Amino acid sequence: MIDSHTQFLTALAHAGFSVSSVAAIRDQYDSLPSGLAALLLEWIPRLEDRRLQESVTWALLAARSGTLDGAALAELFDAATNDDLKRAIASVINQTRPRNIDGWLIATVRDRRSGASSAIGGLAAAVAKMLPPERAVPVLIEVFHDAPLAAVHPLGKVGDGSVRNVLAAALPTATGPLRRELRQAIARIERRLAKAQRKTRGAMP
């Protein structure tokens, strides 16, 4: 009986994407053709081996920004029972900015029952990258209260003065990596605010 790995490679070859292995996909294609990306998304849930599923998911990182089907990725994430696969999908979402996924992203990050806890870092990063600050910040503040280490770096990227105050209030009791990340995020926000202030002053008559 032909295993799913062989069936997968055969299906790719029949579609005109002949590769010797899953690892060769990223070596062979600097930028995934849209047809190949669609095939990878189609095959991930059909593959029996979890590590193979993860490898195919990581290959999606070569997709051009804004080209992946967000609905398909969301469905894969919701169906995944493997934390490593969820983390891989979250990383793909963060790196490739798929289409039509904003609503799902916000709901999944906010829903404590969604099973997203293992991948919250990647999803929080995606919120900061893909959503305008006025939408991203309230969601990330919620995450910060439950999983501060996952949210602090994204908040440093998009936060304003009020976010800086929230992070500063958490600093006295923070320890270890969280304390270091808080300091870096606060400094990043302060640099951005200072730059904006200098720009405003420079524009004054």
Side-chain angles (χ1 to χ4, degrees):
M1 184 176 178
I2 301 176
D3 62 28
S4 60
H5 185 197
T6 303
Q7 291 177 336
F8 170 63
L9 295 179
T10 300
L12 294 187
H14 286 167
F17 306 110
S18 183
V19 293
S20 59
S21 66
V22 173
I25 295 173
R26 293 183 69 181
D27 294 334
Q28 191 164 325
Y29 297 97
D30 292 331
S31 179
L32 285 185
S34 57
L36 177 54
L39 269 177
L40 300 187
L41 283 169
E42 177 187 335
W43 269 87
I44 289 169
R46 297 165 63 179
L47 298 170
E48 298 167 355
D49 185 273
R50 286 183 174 182
R51 285 176 295 183
L52 183 57
Q53 283 185 316
E54 293 165 30
S55 295
V56 175
T57 300
W58 287 118
L60 289 168
L61 286 173
R64 294 186 300 277
S65 179
T67 61
L68 290 180
D69 181 355
L73 280 168
E75 186 176 345
L76 283 174
F77 186 95
D78 290 340
T81 57
N82 174 4
D83 285 347
D84 288 335
L85 180 56
K86 281 186 179 290
R87 281 190 284 268
I89 296 168
S91 293
V92 169
I93 291 170
N94 179 38
Q95 293 296 325
T96 66
R97 301 183 183 218
R99 309 183 310 271
N100 304 319
I101 202 171
D102 293 4
W104 173 88
L105 183 60
I106 292 172
T108 301
V109 168
R110 281 180 159 160
D111 186 357
R112 305 299 182 267
R113 301 164 299 174
S114 67
S117 58
S118 63
I120 194 64
L123 294 180
V127 167
K129 180 181 287 187
M130 296 175 62
L131 301 179
E134 61 270 19
R135 295 185 69 194
V137 166
V139 177
L140 292 172
I141 289 293
E142 289 183 29
V143 176
F144 181 74
H145 291 315
D146 287 340
L149 197 53
V152 62
H153 184 72
L155 280 169
K157 286 187 172 183
V158 299
D160 56 11
S162 63
V163 171
R164 181 223 174 270
N165 294 339
V166 171
L167 300 183
L171 188 56
T173 57
T175 59
L178 177 58
R179 186 173 182 83
R180 181 177 64 252
E181 290 289 338
L182 281 168
R183 284 175 169 169
Q184 291 175 354
I186 290 168
R188 186 171 192 173
I189 293 172
E190 288 178 341
R191 287 194 300 271
R192 188 165 58 249
L193 293 175
K195 183 178 180 181
Q197 190 174 40
R198 288 194 300 270
K199 186 175 180 180
T200 300
R201 287 175 178 171
M204 293 175 64

